[in-house]
Amino acid sequence: IAAGDDGASTLDRALLAALAGRSPPRARNLLRWFLRGHGLPPPSTARLAAMLDQFVRAAPDARVRVPHAGIELGIFRGRIVVHASAVAAFALAWSGEPALALPHGTLEFAPARGEGIATSALGAAVVTVRRREGGERLRIAMEGSPRALKRLLHDAGIAPWQRASLPLVYCGDTL
C-alpha cells in the first residue's frame, strides 16, 4: 500500500499478483482490506474472486476498469487505484463568467497576459467546454504542429480516467 499523487492509498499490482500465486485466500483478504480502507463495502465472495482475477491476469498495458459500489478500480502504472467513474458527455456554452459549473466540479477562468486563450479568439467564435471524445489534437506552441491530446496527457502522467473527465475549452471547433 502506498499513497498516490492525490494522497489516496494505492495497491501494488505486482505484489498482489505474487501473493495470489502463493496464497489466493490471503490475496483476497488484502483486496478486501484495501476496499475497506477506501470506505467501500465488501463484494460477494464470487465478485471478489473475479476482481482479483482481473487485476492479476491483465496484461501490463491493459486498461482495467472494475466497477464497485458506485466507483471504479483501475490499474495505472502498476498500481491498483480507486477512482470516480468518468463523467457522462457534456457540452456547456461559456460566455465569459469567471466560473462555470461542470457536472463534476467547477472550472474557473482567470485573466492572464501572454498565455491561455487569446481575447481575439474568444470574441470570434462560440466558446464551449466539453469532455474529451477522443481524437483531439492540440497545438501547444504557435510555431509547433498539433499533437494528439491523448499522447500529451499520457506523457504528462495523467491517468486514463482523469483524461476522460478533463474539461476541454473550444473556440468554435478549435481546441
Side-chain angles (χ1 to χ4, degrees):
I1 303 291
D5 292 340
D6 61 357
S9 65
T10 63
L11 183 60
D12 187 295
R13 178 180 172 228
L15 292 176
L16 180 66
L19 183 59
R22 290 190 312 272
S23 176
R26 292 186 76 197
R28 287 190 298 273
N29 282 341
L30 176 58
L31 188 52
R32 207 178 277 114
W33 177 81
F34 177 69
L35 294 171
R36 186 176 32 240
H38 283 275
L40 299 170
S44 69
T45 302
R47 179 75 177 125
L48 184 69
M51 291 168 86
L52 180 61
D53 188 58
Q54 287 183 53
F55 291 132
V56 168
R57 296 188 189 279
D61 61 346
R63 171 84 198 274
V64 176
R65 291 177 42 191
V66 179
H68 178 66
I71 55 85
E72 290 183 358
L73 288 90
I75 300 173
F76 184 63
R77 296 190 171 174
R79 305 212 53 94
I80 299 170
V81 180
V82 174
H83 60 87
S85 300
V87 297
F90 66 90
L92 303 167
W94 180 64
S95 52
E97 58 272 23
L100 184 63
L102 304 176
H104 58 303
T106 302
L107 180 60
E108 295 184 359
F109 297 87
R113 274 196 195 279
E115 59 186 16
I117 304 169
T119 306
S120 59
L122 293 175
V126 174
V127 179
T128 57
V129 177
R130 58 186 188 239
R131 144 191 130 147
R132 284 192 62 227
E133 299 296 325
E136 297 91 354
R137 298 185 67 74
L138 179 66
R139 181 187 324 256
I140 295 183
M142 292 305 284
E143 60 277 349
S145 59
R147 294 184 51 205
L149 182 60
K150 179 180 180 178
R151 171 61 35 202
L152 291 168
L153 296 174
H154 177 272
D155 291 350
I158 298 173
W161 51 87
Q162 292 171 322
R163 292 180 224 154
S165 297
L166 188 66
L168 303 180
V169 179
Y170 284 85
C171 293
D173 291 331
T174 303
L175 174 61

